[in-house]
Amino acid sequence: MAHDNYPACVAFVRKQEGGNTDTPGDRGGRTGRGGITHTTYDAYRDKKGLPRQDVFLIGDAEIAEIYAIGYWQPIRGDDLATGVDLCIFDYAINSGPAKANWERLQAIAGGAKDPAPLIHKICADRLSFMHSLGSWSRFSAGWGRRVAQCEATALVMAGAPLEPALQAAIAKKGSKAPARTITAGAVAAGSAHHYLIGGAWALAAIIGFVVLASAITAFNTWRQGARVDALSDAVARMKATQAAALAAKTAAGVQADLKAKAISAEQAELDAAKAAIANAEMSPSK
């Protein structure tokens, strides 16, 4: 299974969570490195019989243990496919293991069973859930970027080709009528006869639907833009890694060739020396 992928998943989460924070409006409150909230840290220290301390003092070993016990084990990360484990693990860090597990089961029930479709579905549903939260307006940019980067990284982990996914995302971003997107015109047209009958209340309803539809359209466009950016970055990193590997392989080949030539030259000198000694021994002494 994917248990060997755990360190890579932890590395992704640690990079996303960053260092100590105490952001006004963040429901987690005072948060230490690795995204460990003070309440989570207090519970961890209590359970181990240790005195409570400021979460800003949390150690790397404590973070690793909290991740493993509180998130990786509850999502059964060792049993998940590579790439899918990152999606669920990162989701669990943000929203809890129960929510992450439920989204995975919902995605599977919806027909997304192979790693790549499952990754796409989980990330899309996660972003929609985040958009429904009251704090979305404050943290939308960071949250959206994180989910998009998670999706791209998970696809790389799963070995899914990123180029087709990138091209599809670019095409969807450029589409004037994204799939399942409600347009303001359609809502207004569909509600016009209600306005003629119901008067002012219907007008207010139409305005509300138009605003909602516009927000959904803008959100879908923004989400596709973030996904394109993340996939583009992932493709660029993948190509850079491949180029570096090829360059290293070429350099190693050159070095091996030079070494082989040096050995051959040394062998030739040794053979010549042996021949000279043999000839000297065979020559009659004076």
Side-chain angles (χ1 to χ4, degrees):
M1 289 301 175
H3 61 277
D4 289 340
N5 201 42
Y6 177 64
C9 293
V10 170
F12 176 87
V13 171
R14 288 292 301 269
K15 183 178 180 180
Q16 295 294 325
E17 292 292 345
N20 299 325
T21 60
D22 192 4
T23 306
D26 187 346
R27 295 185 303 167
R30 191 172 176 83
T31 304
R33 294 180 303 113
I36 307 300
T37 65
H38 68 95
T39 53
T40 297
Y41 191 44
D42 286 346
Y44 167 78
R45 301 276 296 186
D46 291 347
K47 189 172 183 178
K48 294 184 73 71
L50 299 173
R52 292 186 178 184
Q53 65 178 16
D54 187 355
V55 70
F56 282 10
L57 300 176
I58 191 171
D60 289 338
E62 291 180 310
I63 295 173
E65 187 173 4
I66 290 173
Y67 276 173
I69 296 175
Y71 302 96
W72 187 258
Q73 292 175 10
I75 66 168
R76 300 182 66 179
D78 288 347
D79 296 330
L80 300 177
T82 301
V84 176
D85 54 359
L86 174 64
C87 286
I88 301 301
F89 182 56
D90 194 53
Y91 199 155
I93 293 292
N94 275 170
S95 305
K99 176 65 176 175
N101 282 330
W102 185 83
E103 286 290 3
R104 181 177 68 85
L105 294 176
Q106 289 295 109
I108 291 174
K113 296 181 180 179
D114 293 334
L118 193 54
I119 288 168
H120 291 314
K121 179 62 175 172
I122 291 169
C123 289
D125 290 347
R126 178 183 177 188
L127 198 57
S128 296
F129 167 68
M130 286 178 162
H131 189 238
S132 70
L133 301 176
S135 49
W136 169 261
S137 60
R138 288 181 58 85
F139 304 107
S140 58
W143 287 355
R145 189 180 308 111
R146 175 170 179 164
V147 175
Q149 290 175 353
C150 181
E151 178 181 8
T153 304
L155 288 173
V156 172
M157 288 179 171
L162 281 176
E163 290 285 3
L166 174 60
Q167 295 305 320
I170 291 174
K172 191 170 183 180
K173 178 185 178 184
S175 174
K176 293 183 179 180
R180 299 183 182 181
T181 297
I182 305 173
T183 63
V187 174
S191 305
H193 69 283
H194 290 294
Y195 164 64
L196 294 176
I197 296 176
W201 72 267
L203 177 60
I206 292 174
I207 293 174
F209 277 122
V210 169
V211 170
L212 174 61
S214 299
I216 293 173
T217 301
F219 170 65
N220 285 344
T221 301
W222 173 87
R223 181 172 67 184
Q224 288 303 319
R227 181 167 180 241
V228 166
D229 291 342
L231 289 174
S232 297
D233 289 344
V235 169
R237 288 196 304 271
M238 180 178 66
K239 290 182 176 179
T241 300
Q242 291 173 340
L246 179 60
K249 182 179 180 180
T250 302
V254 171
Q255 290 297 322
D257 186 55
L258 291 175
K259 187 173 182 180
K261 289 180 178 179
I263 292 174
S264 296
E266 290 177 359
Q267 186 63 48
E269 292 178 1
L270 180 60
D271 291 342
K274 287 181 178 180
I277 292 172
N279 290 332
E281 291 177 345
M282 292 176 64
S283 298
S285 59
K286 296 181 179 179

